[in-house]
Amino acid sequence: MHYRSLTRQTQPAVEPVTLAEAKAHCRVDATDDDAYIQNLVAMAREYVEDYIDRTLVQTQWVMRFDRFPPSGIQAVELPRPPMVTSGTATAVSVTFTAEAGATGSWSSAEFRVDRHATPGTVQPVYGGTYPAHRHDDNAVSVTWWAGYGADGSAVPQRIKNAILLIVGEWYDKRSTAVIPEAAKQLLDSVKWGSYR
């Protein structure tokens, strides 16, 4: 199933690599370039998330699409895994445009969420069906949380090392920097492809 739009509702509260870690990797002791290096870390994290199609630090997403899949045929897949599996950021909400045109909410008692699948999924409870709705642009939206945690500490080390390699390359070469092959190899080991 293809989505029409995918929007990050919240930015990560922290980056998966700290400024201190990035400076140590770049062998920088002074503070003059701190803001620049911090920006490189954020840009590298965004690149990595796009490249491996995952969410690194806890983020809320909203996906909009035109219609539910046919009942019994397919679950709604939620991009940018992993879904948050515990704590306060596990809520999943589903809204839709009803056939008469009003906005409705799908009761959480009527759908099930598989947070452990990659990607996570939403589908009707056993024996249930998707709500009747209007088939129209952005008629359905799903909101959920994804990421390896809120503080960045659970992000796999291979991903953190790839971010450091990218930051080091971009810091050293600035205008001529490319993505290091070693970083791509690390990321390819955790990448599993698109599911749109």
Side-chain angles (χ1 to χ4, degrees), residues 5 23 34 36 39 42 50 78 97 107 116 130 141 150 160 163 196:
S5 70
K23 287 177 69 173
D34 281 7
Y36 178 67
N39 286 338
D50 288 344
L78 305 178
T97 304
S107 168
H116 299 285
Y130 289 107
S141 68
K160 290 182 181 185
I163 290 172
R196 296 190 327 175

Side-chain angles (χ1 to χ4, degrees), residues 63-78:
M63 176 177 65
R64 293 174 179 84
F65 47 100
D66 298 345
R67 59 178 295 182
F68 288 112
S71 288
I73 303 296
Q74 181 180 7
V76 174
E77 293 183 339
L78 305 178

Side-chain angles (χ1 to χ4, degrees), residues 26-39:
C26 294
R27 297 185 176 148
V28 174
D29 296 322
T31 59
D32 297 352
D33 284 346
D34 281 7
Y36 178 67
I37 294 171
Q38 191 66 56
N39 286 338

Side-chain angles (χ1 to χ4, degrees), residues 47-174:
Y47 169 83
V48 166
E49 285 182 321
D50 288 344
Y51 187 83
I52 64 174
D53 216 5
R54 291 183 181 266
T55 305
L56 300 185
V57 180
Q58 189 169 293
T59 298
Q60 188 180 50
W61 293 96
V62 175
M63 176 177 65
R64 293 174 179 84
F65 47 100
D66 298 345
R67 59 178 295 182
F68 288 112
S71 288
I73 303 296
Q74 181 180 7
V76 174
E77 293 183 339
L78 305 178
R80 295 299 177 111
M83 287 187 76
V84 174
T85 59
S86 62
T88 58
T90 57
V92 175
S93 64
V94 182
T95 61
F96 58 93
T97 304
E99 291 172 325
T103 300
S105 294
W106 196 15
S107 168
S108 60
E110 297 175 353
F111 65 85
R112 56 187 167 152
V113 179
D114 185 349
R115 291 179 177 82
H116 299 285
T118 303
T121 61
V122 173
Q123 61 185 322
V125 295
Y126 182 78
T129 61
Y130 289 107
H133 64 291
R134 180 179 288 181
H135 299 180
D136 198 5
D137 293 353
N138 299 308
V140 182
S141 68
V142 182
T143 303
W144 76 99
W145 291 86
Y148 288 100
D151 66 1
S153 64
V155 173
Q157 192 61 49
R158 286 178 286 179
I159 296 174
K160 290 182 181 185
N161 287 356
I163 290 172
L164 288 171
L165 289 169
I166 294 167
V167 169
E169 175 78 9
W170 288 352
Y171 182 77
D172 286 342
K173 297 191 179 159
R174 306 211 178 192

